Amino acid sequence: MPLYRPSLSRVDAKETKRYAGLSKTDFDEAAIAEACEEALLLAEPRARWEMFEYDCETGCVASVPPFTMEGTVVRRHLAGAERVVFLAATVGEKIEEAISRHFDEGRYAHSVLLDAAATAAVEQVCDACEVMLRPQLAKEGFSMRWRFSPGYGDWDIHAQPELLRLTQAASIGVSLTESLMLCPRKSVTAVIGLVSGKAAASEHAPKGCASCEKLDCPSRKIEVEKE
């Protein structure tokens, strides 16, 4: 079960601003930079991943025991995939503790910005994992679809227990609450479809925000809104 500990050199300020719902507003850039710097200091990036054979006709993952992907959107997203990679990633609990502490101290704006920076940080951990995997999988003749997480489209969060089992996410400190929310909150689980040959990742459903019907989301990417 591969473990990956990427090194973050920075936390993306632009993405932090987007996750804070501030993409369309002028905001104190120094305050955003402060939150990004604190997130960088507190982050404990860790990820685990595992690859399985996949039957795209039945949605069955050849794990033990087998796991069937449920949901029209995720099955469509994985159309043509011969294997799948399940990924779990986190930036740990220290950031969450700091977010709560700042809020309790009345630093509400900073708490919100740090929360957004933590979200940006864990997404960067996932991105780094994909960058690490891509050349290895390319040598085996596979191209990667973009990662798809429970909660996207009609892929229900009730799939979370299986993703945590398949990735052994407990070994990096990731668990689930009774309401199936990830703990620490700044964690991600996802599936990545692997397609043989040189099929481009663009030859399927739109990526990220473009695949979501919630057009009024404050975190929606501006580039998508212009499409």
Side-chain angles (χ1 to χ4, degrees):
M1 184 70 63
L3 171 66
Y4 186 52
R5 294 180 180 271
S7 177
L8 296 181
S9 60
R10 56 184 285 274
V11 174
D12 192 309
K14 183 178 178 180
E15 286 294 275
T16 295
K17 187 174 181 180
R18 181 172 71 86
Y19 284 122
L22 300 171
S23 294
K24 297 182 179 180
T25 66
D26 292 327
F27 197 83
D28 185 354
E29 298 297 329
I32 295 173
E34 180 186 359
C36 290
E37 290 172 6
E38 184 173 358
L40 186 61
L41 288 172
L42 295 173
E44 298 175 317
R46 302 183 298 275
R48 271 200 176 275
W49 61 274
E50 188 58 272
M51 181 167 58
F52 299 92
E53 297 293 326
Y54 176 69
D55 185 337
C56 64
E57 297 297 324
T58 64
C60 184
V61 178
S63 56
V64 180
F67 168 51
T68 300
M69 305 290 289
E70 300 287 354
T72 302
V73 177
V74 67
R75 291 274 291 274
R76 184 169 65 240
H77 177 73
L78 296 174
E82 299 175 17
R83 298 182 188 177
V84 289
V85 168
F86 288 105
L87 170 68
T90 187
V91 288
E93 297 180 347
K94 289 184 179 180
I95 291 181
E96 290 189 19
E97 293 169 354
I99 292 168
S100 297
R101 184 175 66 254
H102 291 309
F103 188 86
D104 291 341
E105 292 171 351
R107 300 186 66 196
Y108 305 123
H110 183 69
S111 178
V112 169
L113 290 175
L114 183 58
D115 186 273
T119 300
V122 73
E123 291 295 334
Q124 288 177 232
V125 173
C126 294
D127 290 344
C129 195
E130 289 191 27
V131 169
M132 178 272 298
L133 286 169
R134 187 167 288 111
Q136 173 184 332
L137 294 170
K139 289 180 180 179
E140 299 181 33
F142 290 99
S143 60
M144 297 169 59
R145 296 273 171 87
W146 56 271
R147 61 182 180 268
F148 197 101
S149 294
Y152 287 6
D154 61 352
W155 194 22
D156 200 281
I157 62 171
H158 283 86
Q160 290 286 30
E162 283 297 296
L163 269 66
L164 266 62
R165 176 181 71 85
L166 295 172
T167 58
Q168 294 185 17
S171 65
I172 57 171
V174 178
S175 60
L176 287 173
T177 67
E178 291 184 359
S179 58
L180 299 180
M181 302 303 291
L182 293 172
C183 183
R185 286 189 307 110
K186 299 308 176 181
S187 303
V188 169
T189 58
V191 65
I192 300 169
L194 305 182
V195 182
S196 62
K198 298 182 180 180
S202 60
E203 294 178 357
H204 60 94
K207 180 176 180 179
C209 292
S211 69
C212 180
E213 297 178 355
K214 188 171 177 56
L215 302 179
D216 60 346
C217 175
S219 296
R220 193 173 181 86
K221 288 186 177 180
I222 293 175
E223 292 86 349
V224 174
E225 293 173 345
K226 292 180 179 178
E227 292 180 357

